Amino acid sequence: MPQQNTEILAATASGISRAAQLLQAGQLVSFPTETVYGLGADARQGEAVAAIYAAKGRPSFNPLIAHVHSAEAARRYVEWNEVAEQLAAAFWPGPLTLVLRLRTGHGISPLVTAGLDTLGVRVPAHPAGQALLQALDGPVAAPSANPSGKISPTTAQHVQAGLDGRIAAILDDGPCGVGLESTIIGLADIGLAGPEPAPVLLRPGGLAAEEIEAVLGRKLAQRDMHDPLTAPGQLLSHYAPGAPLRLNAGAPETDELFLGFGPGTCDLNLSESGDLAEAAANLFGHLHQLDAIGQPIAVAPVPKHGLGEAINDRLRRAAAPRD
Ligand code: TXA
Ligand code: MG
């Protein structure tokens, strides 16, 4: 890939309008959301979307999320239904992605959906990300702004370390508050003929499944791990640091760095007070810091309820055997 000069843009009116102009021109721009930094391209421009895959070195069968400024904007691209309305009203803008059927005349590049007839849409809550989506007034395809298989970025510096020279610009607005990617809910089968299917939890993330179940008044169905259509691109080894990772460790062994949770001695602590939201916000940043030291990492057990489900999911992927 040819090197380019990656502009660092401040989250000011002029920085945001420059970012929107670059997206419109088919360039790649990394922008902050409340979950992680995204690597954005105009979702209607096939070549721009192709450049995302090239910059990340990402396997092309992994579909991307389209980011829009409002539920109203989402409805331009997908078939809406009652459950989508209920969840959007409760949680948008926020760390929730809804997978719905594409509408006719949607204009989204098939590279975004990897050829599926569904689209993941999300309305991020970050002020700078929102301002950018409003300035463009179009759908922005954006995976997390890290080279494929590496730890997700929660600061502009993480993005720069992974993608400098490969993208046009980074809109820098400090660290992300949530720190875990959005929760993804599959709603594509709602409203079709036949027995009413349950919404499906496709990926645990920054919004706890329990909160969604409370709004719906029912349990979410679990994704079928063996069905490539409901779980496309859920690569097991993902979010991986360079060093080996050992999970649910009571204590570090010699040479291991210790990533703690709760009170106790460790090299870095996800949350000394045992707060899961704090641990989520710290997860990727702490992994980046320990990884830079270049020793194996042991991780303390993290409870599995609430946001702990997504934290454990990301840790399992980071620890999985790699090629
Ligand atoms: O918080 C987030 O969601 C971040 C920020 C940047 O918004 N984005 C993100 O994107 O995590 P990415 O590309 O790393 O993860 C998108 C995942 C894919 O791996 C895929 O499993 C799922 O979303 N996905 C996207 N479209 C889908 C579809 N039509 N059907 C099923 N799953 C889909
Ligand atoms: Mg990612």
Side-chain angles (χ1 to χ4, degrees), residues 76-159:
R76 298 176 195 159
Y77 310 109
V78 289
E79 297 281 356
W80 204 238
N81 61 47
E82 277 169 37
V83 182
E85 182 59 37
Q86 207 180 359
L87 293 181
F91 299 116
W92 276 357
L96 172 69
T97 295
L98 301 178
V99 172
L100 291 154
R101 264 172 216 287
L102 279 163
R103 269 177 75 150
T104 38
H106 54 77
I108 301 280
S109 160
L111 269 181
V112 174
T113 57
L116 300 172
D117 60 358
T118 56
L119 177 70
V121 282
R122 142 163 152 81
V123 178
H126 195 286
Q130 261 292 327
L132 175 60
L133 293 169
Q134 278 169 24
L136 183 73
D137 195 27
V140 174
S144 50
N146 51 284
S148 188
K150 300 292 187 211
I151 303 165
S152 296
T154 51
T155 65
Q157 288 70 35
H158 294 156
V159 178

Side-chain angles (χ1 to χ4, degrees), residues 13 15 24 74 83-84 92 100 127 137 162 213 222 230 322:
Q24 225 150 25
V83 182
W92 276 357
L100 291 154
D137 195 27
E213 289 172 342
Q222 295 294 312
T230 58
R322 350 206 155 116

Side-chain angles (χ1 to χ4, degrees), residues 3-314:
Q3 286 282 309
Q4 49 187 312
N5 173 35
T6 300
E7 295 174 35
I8 308 294
L9 303 171
T12 56
S14 71
I16 285 160
S17 98
R18 173 73 184 149
Q21 188 187 24
L22 286 166
L23 286 173
Q24 225 150 25
Q27 300 287 313
L28 301 185
V29 176
S30 176
F31 64 98
T33 80
E34 75 280 36
T35 60
V36 300
Y37 273 72
L39 176 54
D42 184 328
R44 300 160 296 194
Q45 300 187 41
E47 281 184 34
V49 178
I52 293 181
Y53 290 106
K56 282 183 65 96
R58 177 175 215 176
S60 58
F61 47 76
N62 216 352
L64 305 174
I65 294 168
H67 298 68
V68 290
H69 58 67
S70 59
E72 184 202 352
R75 295 174 72 156
R76 298 176 195 159
Y77 310 109
V78 289
E79 297 281 356
W80 204 238
N81 61 47
E82 277 169 37
V83 182
E85 182 59 37
Q86 207 180 359
L87 293 181
F91 299 116
W92 276 357
L96 172 69
T97 295
L98 301 178
V99 172
L100 291 154
R101 264 172 216 287
L102 279 163
R103 269 177 75 150
T104 38
H106 54 77
I108 301 280
S109 160
L111 269 181
V112 174
T113 57
L116 300 172
D117 60 358
T118 56
L119 177 70
V121 282
R122 142 163 152 81
V123 178
H126 195 286
Q130 261 292 327
L132 175 60
L133 293 169
Q134 278 169 24
L136 183 73
D137 195 27
V140 174
S144 50
N146 51 284
S148 188
K150 300 292 187 211
I151 303 165
S152 296
T154 51
T155 65
Q157 288 70 35
H158 294 156
V159 178
Q160 203 175 13
L163 296 174
D164 193 35
R166 304 170 76 95
I167 63 180
I170 303 170
L171 183 61
D172 181 358
D173 199 19
C176 304
V178 174
L180 281 175
E181 294 88 345
S182 60
T183 301
I184 305 180
I185 302 293
L187 300 177
D189 294 338
I190 308 283
L192 297 184
E196 191 60 18
V200 187
L201 178 63
L202 295 174
R203 176 178 76 181
L207 177 66
E210 291 91 329
E211 284 195 54
I212 298 170
E213 289 172 342
V215 164
L216 294 175
R218 66 185 294 182
K219 285 273 181 203
L220 292 167
Q222 295 294 312
R223 150 168 64 91
D224 177 357
M225 295 289 287
H226 303 291
D227 181 350
L229 281 181
T230 58
Q234 293 290 343
L235 302 177
L236 186 59
S237 173
H238 203 79
Y239 312 102
L245 206 70
R246 187 168 67 86
L247 305 186
N248 299 312
E253 293 179 357
T254 332
D255 286 353
E256 273 182 339
L257 299 167
F258 193 42
L259 179 57
F261 179 85
T265 312
C266 55
D267 294 284
L268 280 178
N269 204 323
L270 289 170
S271 169
E272 199 154 355
S273 64
D275 180 82
L276 287 167
E278 186 186 12
N282 283 331
L283 178 67
F284 292 134
H286 283 11
L287 284 174
H288 274 284
Q289 275 189 55
L290 293 178
D291 193 29
I293 301 171
Q295 283 167 238
I297 303 165
V299 189
V302 175
K304 298 194 168 47
H305 59 85
L307 289 179
E309 183 183 3
I311 295 172
N312 279 289
D313 172 78
R314 303 305 187 272

